[in-house]
Amino acid sequence: MDPHVIVLFGATGDLARRKLLPGLAHLVVSDLAPDIRIVGTSLEDMDDASFREFARTAIEQFGVHHLTAEQWDLFDDNLAYVPQSAGPEALAAAVARAEQALGEDVRRLHYLSVPPKAALPVIEMLREADLVSRARVVMEKPFGTDLESAIDLNARVHQTFDESQVFRIDHFLGKEAAQNILAFRFANGLFEPIWNRNFIDHIQIDIPETLGLDQRANFYESTGAYKDMVVTHLFQVLAFVAMEPPTALEPRAISEEKNKVFRSLMPIEPRHVVRGQFTGYTSLPGVSPDSDTETFIAMECRLDNWRWAGVPFYLRTGKELAEGKRIISIAFREAPRSMFPANSGVGSAGPDHLTFDLADESKVSLSFYGKRPGPGMRLQKLSMQFSTGETEAAGDVLEAYERLILDAMRGDHTLFTTAEGIESLWDRSAALLDDPPPVKPYAPGTWGPNAIHQLVAPHAWRLPFEREWRAKK
């Protein structure tokens, strides 16, 4: 891989502190990345030494992989800083110095860890600094707020960068577990033939969060759970679950199959959506006292295609909920059970489930009915579970941002979102955005408004689990 200069916009922000700087440090000291230099830029007035100290504190506080003194010295030499107030000329000069240190055939990766309203000014700055050639640009969500704004954003980005240069990041797809869905589906003769409407009853994608809004209430007030999480995360995960087999394991083929899923998504109907707002939200700084912004959303959506006709997909996410989980739950159709006596227990614990936990350990569980030991035919729910933490390669798991930065440097779009896909999703969202149902209150620490149970009836939400994941022995 060619050496890279990484220009990190928003280099002193929360995402850079928690994820990007620790991730870049790990890539450098582990030799996973090519030779790189990092040029940080932000609104803060810092010099190189101050930025290096900032990075060191961030890595010590948030890094999963702690650096030795020798490793820090190796990483420290790669860091430089340019205040954004210094303008495009100063940024261009800093990049030129970094490129000179790296030698020939240097590429550029511009990471826009900035608020959405700052993205286009940054793109303009890169054009003025003549930093577009040999470059790729990573953009953080959200990508617009509706179809019109998404089309406009993509058109304005394309005035400077070709679509092949743009990497719209979704850190959920960078997780080991998300890619494991593809392996599980398409590499196993046991599951590939039954991944359709004939065997699957319904699917849940459930991503509740215990976190509140901290200092983000002002941002959230103009966004809400649907724009913040569903369009940019949950629908992307849905595409991995529902897509047709790609012709090859390569970016263009996978992106096309994901986009087919988005095109087949039926318009989101407000009557199939429950919006909620945790009590106390309107008292937060920056929030209107009569705000109708949702901090919770649950919804049913369907795909109008041959494989999934008639299969409901239930999505749920929100703030201040009872547990923080990232679960995909596949519910299989129940088997005929006339041979079993009425009190046998079959069916009493719901259908068989295949469950993916999108946490970093990438857990998978398959639940099924089996005979309870003892006389007579009494059945109980059993499960088989797997975790990457139980394998010899557990230490090779990359953090989501580490993997995605590496993929962007390689030019691999597999785990990123396209302009066409984003615009399709906003198009299907129009009815909900135009006429959203009113928010219903829910108490912090619960699972959301009571109406969520009517939404999935006659089914039930998989969370909270009837059993916990088994701990590694």
Side-chain angles (χ1 to χ4, degrees):
M1 201 188 317
D2 293 332
H4 274 70
V5 173
I6 298 177
V7 182
L8 180 55
F9 290 87
T12 59
D14 194 56
L15 179 60
R17 280 194 317 126
R18 291 177 177 272
K19 295 294 184 181
L20 302 182
L21 289 170
L24 287 167
H26 177 57
L27 291 178
V28 169
V29 303
S30 64
D31 293 327
L32 290 170
D35 291 337
I36 67 171
R37 293 290 187 275
I38 300 165
V39 177
T41 180
S42 193
L43 299 177
E44 279 72 18
D45 190 9
M46 285 186 180
D47 57 16
D48 290 354
S50 300
F51 180 55
R52 289 170 180 170
E53 188 58 35
F54 174 87
R56 182 168 195 155
T57 302
I59 292 165
E60 289 175 349
Q61 187 174 359
F62 298 109
V64 175
H65 311 277
H66 297 289
L67 305 189
T68 65
E70 182 179 355
Q71 288 173 327
W72 170 251
D73 288 340
L74 174 66
F75 180 65
D76 175 77
D77 295 337
N78 298 306
L79 299 174
Y81 186 84
V82 179
Q84 212 156 318
S85 59
E89 296 83 5
L91 181 63
V95 172
R97 288 192 296 271
E99 290 179 340
Q100 188 174 14
L102 289 172
E104 299 180 354
D105 300 320
V106 180
R107 297 196 65 92
R108 302 157 178 166
L109 183 69
H110 306 305
Y111 197 115
L112 276 58
S113 178
V114 297
K117 64 182 179 182
L120 288 174
V122 168
I123 297 287
E124 175 68 24
M125 184 179 189
L126 290 170
R127 184 166 65 241
E128 292 177 4
D130 195 22
L131 295 176
V132 176
S133 63
R134 296 178 284 112
R136 301 182 178 109
V137 58
V138 179
M139 299 185 66
E140 281 283 345
K141 61 150 179 114
F143 315 107
T145 56
D146 55 20
L147 178 59
E148 183 180 0
S149 63
I151 291 173
D152 180 64
L153 175 62
N154 286 325
R156 294 175 70 179
V157 170
H158 291 160
Q159 290 174 1
T160 302
F161 290 97
D162 184 78
E163 177 65 15
S164 64
Q165 296 176 278
V166 181
F167 291 75
R168 298 169 189 81
I169 196 167
D170 172 16
H171 70 273
F172 273 56
L173 297 188
K175 293 181 176 295
E176 197 80 35
Q179 295 164 81
N180 200 32
I181 296 169
L182 298 183
F184 205 93
R185 284 192 57 188
F186 300 126
N188 294 294
L190 177 62
F191 291 103
E192 191 279 330
I194 63 172
W195 209 267
N196 56 61
R197 69 187 187 283
N198 296 320
F199 298 94
I200 292 176
D201 185 75
H202 65 278
I203 294 174
Q204 294 181 22
I205 300 174
D206 206 354
I207 305 181
E209 297 181 290
T210 57
L211 299 174
L213 297 174
D214 295 326
Q215 306 302 314
R216 298 176 66 240
N218 191 34
F219 157 78
Y220 209 82
E221 177 68 355
S222 60
T223 306
Y226 184 77
K227 296 177 181 178
D228 184 49
M229 288 290 292
V230 177
V231 175
T232 51
H233 291 322
L234 275 71
F235 280 152
Q236 307 302 325
V237 174
L238 184 152
F240 264 35
V241 174
M243 64 191 281
E244 295 296 319
T247 54
L249 195 65
E250 57 92 17
R252 183 177 301 178
I254 291 176
S255 292
E256 176 56 25
E257 295 305 332
K258 287 172 58 185
N259 287 342
K260 286 180 183 177
V261 173
F262 299 146
R263 290 195 293 270
S264 69
L265 181 66
M266 299 178 72
I268 306 301
E269 298 185 30
R271 64 191 178 94
H272 291 153
V273 175
V274 174
R275 296 168 70 239
Q277 185 184 94
F278 66 78
T279 53
Y281 172 75
T282 54
S283 300
L284 296 176
V287 175
S288 170
D290 57 352
S291 172
D292 190 52
T293 299
E294 80 278 359
T295 61
F296 169 96
I297 191 161
M299 57 194 299
E300 175 192 311
C301 55
R302 295 185 182 244
L303 300 179
D304 186 16
N305 62 26
W306 189 271
R307 181 182 294 266
W308 297 112
V311 177
F313 288 74
Y314 298 109
L315 280 54
R316 176 172 64 170
T317 187
K319 302 290 187 182
E320 295 271 12
L321 296 178
E323 294 181 36
K325 297 284 186 180
R326 296 168 180 176
I327 296 294
I328 303 169
S329 190
I330 316 292
F332 294 101
R333 293 193 180 278
E334 296 191 49
R337 50 180 184 267
S338 58
M339 62 177 282
F340 295 100
N343 62 350
S344 65
V346 65
S348 60
D352 300 337
H353 282 89
L354 176 65
T355 304
F356 295 89
D357 186 341
L358 298 187
D360 292 332
E361 283 195 359
S362 184
K363 297 176 181 177
V364 182
S365 171
L366 178 63
S367 69
F368 55 93
Y369 286 96
K371 183 182 180 300
R372 180 181 297 173
M377 180 57 76
R378 292 285 297 165
L379 304 181
Q380 64 181 356
K381 213 54 178 302
L382 306 172
S383 70
M384 294 186 293
Q385 298 184 5
F386 162 80
S387 168
T388 54
E390 300 170 353
T391 69
E392 294 180 356
D396 296 337
V397 174
L398 290 176
E399 290 277 293
Y401 282 99
E402 295 170 358
R403 180 186 307 279
L404 293 170
I405 290 171
L406 203 56
D407 283 354
M409 285 193 281
R410 291 172 174 156
D412 186 340
H413 278 88
T414 302
L415 302 176
F416 295 85
T417 307
T418 66
E420 178 190 342
I422 285 293
E423 290 174 11
S424 291
L425 291 175
W426 284 123
D427 182 42
R428 274 64 177 174
S429 304
L432 176 62
L433 298 178
D434 291 343
D435 186 25
V439 294
K440 300 178 183 293
Y442 66 95
T446 65
W447 288 100
N450 288 332
I452 61 172
H453 303 297
Q454 287 77 48
L455 177 71
V456 299
H459 312 300
W461 289 102
R462 199 70 213 294
L463 287 175
F465 276 144
E466 69 276 6
R467 65 180 65 80
E468 291 297 320
W469 292 100
R470 284 195 290 270
K472 179 183 176 182
K473 294 182 179 179

